[in-house]
Amino acid sequence: METEHLTCGDAVRKFFAYLDGALAGGSLEALEEHLEACLDCCERLDFSRKLDAFVKDRLGEEPLPEGIEERIRRLIENHGRREG
Amino acid sequence: MRGETEGHGREPVRMPEIEVETRRRFEELALPHLKSLYRFASRLTGNRGTAEELVQETFLKALEAFPTLRDPARSKAWLFQILSRLAIDRHRREAQAVTVEVAEDLDHFSLYDLIWEEDPLPYSERLHDDFLAQFPDEEVRAALSALPEAYLAPLALLYAEGMTYRELAEVLDLPMGTVMSRLHRGRKILERELWDYAKRRGLVKTWKQST
């Protein structure tokens, strides 16, 4: 079966799915074929990859509020308990 | 301490007595996910106090529904699903995607191309890298938090939890195709936010009207 030929616009719309490992089969082949022939799209893809890594990196860790685990344990212990 | 709440502040719930053993098993299964759930809640709400309330609500709801959880191996996805449904209930008005016209505009937005065209750092040999290097961490976090919830939720889970599209579809109750398009558009909105910020900060001297 012949691979689908993508325009640059089609290719760009598949970049994120490609970076997320969500492309397979003919869709993946079509994008890879386009990338082999299009330097502009390779550079665009490289920027998308960098931008993703950049955002992930900048988000950092979110420290847990002090005592949250204890508060949750207490809720689990007491929730729905009958009085007396 | 920043606004953490003691207890959940709701009326006592009428429900069947939960056995001690059930509570223990629930705790064992659910508590290891506390950090991830809190991180997700915090991204969704942008506020530590509200994030804790949302997490507490999630644990209570999950405890009540625990007897219906058939497969303990699914507990993480199940907990995230409960949290995201509660978050949507809280912000029902915001939980919708952008209109089709806006979405079409977004699909054509390219930060990469704009940086080329506007050339904000004329002496740079690594233009795109240097452009990104100018953003403070809090500005990137603010850009992400500004996303409508429909885009924020899948992106936050993808970035922080590394979930696959299939897992995202399950957690967010969405078809795979919708997950894919929201992850694409969410990133496009983020690109536009970064570009707008760069313009506001004067990092880009816009001598022509850009998109």
Side-chain angles (χ1 to χ4, degrees), chain B residues 6-186:
Chain B
E6 187 77 26
H8 55 99
R10 296 196 309 197
E11 290 298 310
V13 179
R14 284 205 170 276
M15 52 180 288
E17 179 80 6
I18 301 167
E19 289 171 13
V20 175
E21 177 56 16
T22 307
R23 289 176 202 273
R24 193 196 59 74
R25 278 194 302 118
F26 173 74
E27 230 183 70
E28 206 175 272
L29 210 70
L31 269 180
H33 303 299
L34 171 61
K35 199 169 168 44
S36 303
L37 289 166
Y38 178 76
R39 183 167 47 204
F40 182 44
S42 172
R43 296 258 181 273
L44 287 182
T45 63
N47 174 291
R48 289 172 63 81
T50 318
E52 177 163 349
E53 279 172 27
L54 188 54
V55 170
Q56 290 189 356
E57 230 179 297
T58 302
F59 272 88
L60 292 182
K61 194 104 185 161
L63 174 63
E64 289 167 13
F66 188 48
T68 65
L69 176 66
R70 298 263 174 268
D71 178 8
R74 279 194 60 244
S75 60
K76 186 177 180 183
W78 176 69
L79 287 163
F80 273 94
Q81 191 176 51
I82 294 173
L83 194 152
S84 69
R85 283 178 185 165
L86 287 171
I88 288 171
D89 284 347
R90 278 175 171 236
H91 305 104
R92 192 157 284 288
R93 278 168 306 151
E94 294 167 37
Q96 47 208 315
V98 294
T99 61
V100 176
E101 298 76 36
V102 175
E104 278 171 3
D105 269 359
L106 275 172
D107 283 347
H108 296 110
F109 186 89
S110 167
L111 182 58
Y112 176 87
D113 289 348
L114 275 172
I115 295 173
W116 263 132
E117 287 161 17
E118 300 286 347
D119 194 10
L121 305 163
Y123 300 104
S124 169
E125 287 176 6
R126 299 164 68 243
L127 181 57
H128 290 81
D129 293 353
D130 290 343
F131 176 83
L132 291 181
Q134 299 188 84
F135 289 90
D137 293 3
E138 59 276 14
E139 198 52 46
V140 180
R141 281 196 284 267
L144 189 76
S145 316
L147 290 180
E149 195 168 290
Y151 302 99
L152 173 58
L155 262 185
L157 289 172
L158 180 85
Y159 284 148
E161 307 304 325
M163 285 190 187
T164 62
Y165 282 27
R166 193 173 296 281
E167 288 168 326
L168 289 170
E170 185 189 351
V171 167
L172 301 170
D173 286 328
L174 294 171
M176 290 267 280
T178 308
V179 168
M180 195 177 287
S181 69
R182 289 196 182 178
L183 285 170
H184 177 85
R185 286 186 186 143

Side-chain angles (χ1 to χ4, degrees), chain A residues 16 20 43-44 50 52 54 58-63 65 71 73-77 79 82, chain B residues 4 6 8 17 23 27 39 42-43 48 52 64 112-113 129 132 137 141 159 165 184 187:
Chain A
F16 294 118
D20 297 336
E43 288 185 358
R44 285 195 179 95
K50 279 182 182 161
D52 241 21
F54 161 82
R58 293 296 195 283
L59 292 181
E61 269 302 305
E62 191 61 55
R71 286 190 287 281
R73 280 185 196 281
R74 220 176 309 142
L75 280 180
I76 295 173
E77 206 175 300
H79 184 58
R82 295 219 170 93
Chain B
E4 289 86 352
E6 187 77 26
H8 55 99
E17 179 80 6
R23 289 176 202 273
E27 230 183 70
R39 183 167 47 204
S42 172
R43 296 258 181 273
R48 289 172 63 81
E52 177 163 349
E64 289 167 13
Y112 176 87
D113 289 348
D129 293 353
L132 291 181
D137 293 3
R141 281 196 284 267
Y159 284 148
Y165 282 27
H184 177 85
R187 279 140 145 163

Side-chain angles (χ1 to χ4, degrees), chain A residues 15-70:
Chain A
F15 278 179
F16 294 118
Y18 176 72
L19 292 175
D20 297 336
L23 280 192
S27 206
L28 177 63
E29 277 172 31
L31 179 62
E32 286 178 338
E33 187 188 271
H34 181 87
L35 288 170
E36 272 174 35
C38 180
L39 187 59
D40 275 356
C41 277
C42 287
E43 288 185 358
R44 285 195 179 95
L45 176 66
D46 189 42
F47 178 69
S48 294
R49 187 183 283 121
K50 279 182 182 161
L51 189 62
D52 241 21
F54 161 82
V55 175
K56 251 190 258 186
D57 186 53
R58 293 296 195 283
L59 292 181
E61 269 302 305
E62 191 61 55
L64 281 177
E66 207 178 311
I68 187 176
E69 186 166 335
E70 204 35 56

